[in-house]
Amino acid sequence: MHLTFRPINLETDFAYCVAARRDAFVCSFGSDEGFEDFLTGYYERVSERMNQPEWFYRHTFVDGEWAGQLEFRSTSTEPETGYVHLIYLAPAFRGRGFAPLLQRYIETTLANAGCRRALLSVSRDNHRALTFYRQHGWEFVRANPKHAKTDFYQCWLPA
């Protein structure tokens, strides 16, 4: 099995972006209620950010088949800290050993951009994601004041 990462092509692959974000939303919050609010302006936000060097929007493919999506940036409100917005694997690719490879890609990219750590917010109800994060070096930092059901976790990047 060969895993590849490619910049997202919004013109041809936006449907994958929406599907990934919708499924991630359901995994995090139990339903897609409220997802349409998130989706408003999503295409425009991604399109604008893709031209900024600190933003990374990638689709992942396994043997040429779309398998997931990454959204992260090499900046945040904290020094030398990147922020991960989305680590997503389609259901058919979960539990097959790809998630650590996605994390490694993020870690390497952020470290090469000068970051010393990464930060993300995860729903307390997304048990599968929480288990993965805890097993792969992510540590609880604090509750997310902007969303009552999520917490911030951090991961120190390899030097």
Side-chain angles (χ1 to χ4, degrees), residues 90-153:
F93 296 93
R94 295 176 190 159
R96 296 175 55 190
F98 294 116
L101 301 175
L102 272 60
Q103 178 168 319
R104 190 170 318 130
Y105 180 85
I106 291 169
E107 288 175 346
T108 301
T109 303
L110 290 178
N112 288 341
C115 295
R116 297 187 61 223
R117 72 180 181 132
L119 194 65
L120 59 75
S121 179
V122 61
S123 168
R124 290 181 207 109
D125 295 332
N126 192 341
H127 302 290
R128 184 180 192 121
L130 283 168
T131 299
F132 173 82
Y133 294 140
R134 290 176 182 142
Q135 289 175 347
H136 290 87
W138 293 86
E139 307 164 335
F140 174 83
V141 177
R142 65 184 173 277
N144 184 345
K146 293 182 180 180
H147 197 284
K149 292 186 175 187
T150 66
D151 295 320
F152 286 114
Y153 279 73

Side-chain angles (χ1 to χ4, degrees), residues 3-82:
L3 179 69
T4 57
F5 299 88
R6 295 184 205 150
I8 291 174
N9 181 333
L10 285 177
E11 292 189 20
T12 59
D13 297 332
F14 187 64
Y16 287 132
C17 297
V18 173
R21 277 299 195 158
R22 183 180 305 275
D23 189 39
F25 194 94
V26 171
C27 288
S28 294
F29 306 111
S31 79
D32 68 356
E33 185 178 335
F35 178 73
E36 295 304 320
D37 292 336
F38 166 82
L39 198 56
T40 302
Y42 178 59
Y43 182 95
E44 293 78 13
R45 285 191 306 274
V46 174
S47 180
E48 180 182 325
R49 292 170 178 170
M50 289 179 78
N51 296 319
Q52 299 171 12
E54 68 271 14
W55 282 92
F56 301 89
Y57 286 89
R58 302 291 186 265
H59 275 155
T60 60
F61 296 84
V62 174
D63 296 334
E65 183 179 353
W66 181 81
Q69 182 168 314
L70 303 175
E71 298 180 9
F72 61 102
R73 58 189 159 104
S74 61
T75 60
S76 73
T77 58
E78 301 182 26
E80 299 179 314
T81 302

